[in-house]
Every structure is written in structure tokens, then in C-alpha cells.
Amino acid sequence: MKIATWNVNSIKARLDHVMDWLQRDAPEIVCLQEIKCVDENFPAEHFEGLGYNVAVHGQKAYNGVAILSKLPFDDVVSGLAGDAGDDQARYLEAVVSSDGGAVRVACLYLPNGNPPQSEKYPYKLAWMDRLIARAKEVLAFEEIAVFAGDFNVIPGDDDVYDPAAWAGDALCLPATRERFRTLLNLGLSDAFSATHTQRHHYTFWDYQAGAWQKDHGIRIDHLLLSPQAADRLTGCRIDRFTRGWERPSDHVPVWIELDLPLRTG
DNA sequence: ATGGTTGGAGCCCAA
């Protein structure tokens, strides 16, 4: 089964792209970020027409996440625990299941955190601490689980075209990378790193300064797998071709293939 | 080139 993640930078602006991409190889589960709309305005009927069930956690203008699944799901959790005052829509979790088994999917849009001198950076770090706490809980279930999304973390210097230019950025700072490594040290595997030895594969290219044409990219969209999920991993791909489409998202889809007996219908 | 572009808001903010 295929599980994908894609920061679409507005589902309204990107609906045609997402529909075209979904019909290429029909991933069973899709995590979308930066839908930038309230739940009522999410174009669920378009995806339902392709056979997807839909869960949405949106807000006006900013952020917003959604899960599409060809299999039924339950146990939907909207929002990341640990800060009752946080009203940013950045986390959605669901358990997708069939009579062949179940997989827990967490769709996340981790805060960017720039500029680091602002209040946005401590918010990012606190959000990461909350994610670490949730990951500990999920790992204790010993289930097939996937944390997928825009992590806004450049894990290492091999994941950015110019490490020196990004060294002081909130996506690279030591406190950011330390927390990302904590997620890995809990037992989560980065699906892309687990299946590739080549470096400098990117998932985001800025709209500005011809970044795409110059391949000035960064790898910030990740799928982190529980040990039970990693045991089933057979592949991971980055669909860079969508970045060359007309009026693209600045992010491209990343997807994994798991050897799972889950069945649709 | 201390620049540049996109999206959603509503005459700037976030990325």
C-alpha cells in the first residue's frame, strides 16, 4: 500500500494538480498540509468521487491538514495534545483499517519557526516537544504507525543545497535538529534515508530567485515509521516532477510503499 | 542583486 504526504500550499489553488496526481498511481492514503481553508470549504466531494474517505482539520487562511484514505478509518484525533491554547491547525491522526490489519497515520505540519529571534521559534521547539511526547505514546502501542508531513526540519547538511547559507535558519538550527534526532532515537525511521544512499534529494524549492531552475532545494517533507511499519517498508519516492508543473506548490509529494495486506472494498 | 515569488487575506502576513 502507498502512503503519501504533500504540502499543497492551498488546496483551492492546487485542486487540479492534486486530482491529476492522485489519478497517476492512486495512493491508498494521502496526508495533505497547508490546505489553507476551513473544514466546510475543503473540496471533499472531489476526493470522495475518486473513492477516498476524508478527514479535515482546517482553519482560515493559514495551516490546515487533511487525510484522504481509500480504506475506512476511525479514532480521528484533531490537534496535537499538550497546549490547550494552541489554535493552529497542524496535526491530524487517524487509524486506517480493513480486515487485513490497521495502520495509524499522523498528518503533521510542523511550525516553520522563522525568524529564530521571534516568538515563532520557541513555539516551534515547544511543538516539537509535544510531538515527541505523542510519538512516545504511539510507539508504546507497538503498531504499524507513520508520521507524515512537512516537518520544516532539514535533518543534515546533505539535505540542503548550501548548508552554510541555511546554518542560522530555524529549519537547521541545532535545537531543531536535536529534537528531530530525538524522534529518530525513540525508534522512528526516516523512510527516505532508510532506502537511499544518494544525498541531495529535495522536497521543497522556494518560489524565489529561480531556486527550482538552479536545484536550490531542501529536504523537509518526511515519513517517519514505527519499527512495525519500517519492517514492511519496500520503497520511498519523491515525485519531483510536480514542481515543474504550471503554478506548482513549492513542495512535492513524497510517498512510501508498505507490504501490507490491507484491502479496499 | 541583502534580492526574489506565491497564496490568502483585505491595503500586509506567512512562507
Side-chain angles (χ1 to χ4, degrees), chain A residues 12-226:
Chain A
K12 183 166 175 248
R14 222 65 63 202
L15 182 58
D16 290 347
H17 281 197
V18 176
M19 292 295 284
D20 288 351
W21 174 77
L22 285 175
Q23 289 169 90
R24 287 185 161 246
D25 47 14
E28 279 82 3
I29 301 172
V30 181
C31 296
L32 301 175
Q33 302 89 36
E34 278 208 89
I35 60 172
K36 294 188 172 180
C37 66
V38 294
D39 294 10
E40 310 83 77
N41 292 342
F42 188 79
E45 63 281 2
H46 288 81
F47 305 121
E48 288 161 357
L50 293 180
Y52 287 99
N53 302 292
V54 177
V56 187
H57 180 42
Q59 71 178 87
K60 187 180 176 183
Y62 303 113
N63 310 317
V65 288
I67 297 174
L68 315 179
S69 171
K70 293 207 167 186
L71 292 152
F73 54 76
D74 53 20
D75 293 346
V76 176
V77 180
S78 292
L80 185 59
D83 181 358
D86 184 2
D87 57 2
Q88 299 191 31
R90 296 179 173 275
Y91 188 89
L92 183 63
E93 199 179 293
V95 177
V96 174
S97 57
S98 75
D99 49 6
V103 53
R104 182 179 298 268
V105 177
C107 173
L108 64 100
Y109 176 45
L110 208 148
N112 178 296
N114 280 304
Q117 302 78 11
S118 72
E119 74 290 345
K120 291 177 184 176
Y121 192 55
Y123 171 70
K124 175 180 192 153
L125 296 181
W127 204 95
M128 294 185 83
D129 288 337
R130 291 159 58 198
L131 180 61
I132 288 164
R134 181 57 184 161
K136 284 180 183 169
E137 293 175 349
V138 169
L139 284 163
F141 300 152
E142 300 188 351
E143 300 170 334
I144 296 169
V146 179
F147 291 85
D150 175 0
F151 281 70
N152 270 312
V153 175
I154 298 170
D157 284 352
D158 289 333
D159 302 309
V160 50
Y161 69 97
D162 183 355
W166 283 76
D169 192 277
L171 281 61
C172 278
L173 283 171
T176 305
R177 285 179 165 173
E178 178 197 334
R179 282 165 177 79
F180 189 78
R181 283 196 306 274
T182 296
L183 287 168
L184 302 181
N185 291 337
L186 291 176
L188 294 172
S189 304
D190 173 358
F192 187 82
S193 295
T195 50
H196 295 77
T197 52
Q198 289 174 296
R199 301 306 172 200
H200 301 284
H201 283 264
Y202 308 129
T203 65
F204 168 95
W205 297 259
D206 201 284
Y207 288 124
Q208 302 182 81
W212 167 244
Q213 289 75 11
K214 293 184 274 193
D215 198 27
H216 285 184
I218 55 179
R219 191 173 72 90
I220 58 175
D221 299 273
H222 309 296
L223 295 110
L224 302 190
L225 313 185
S226 71

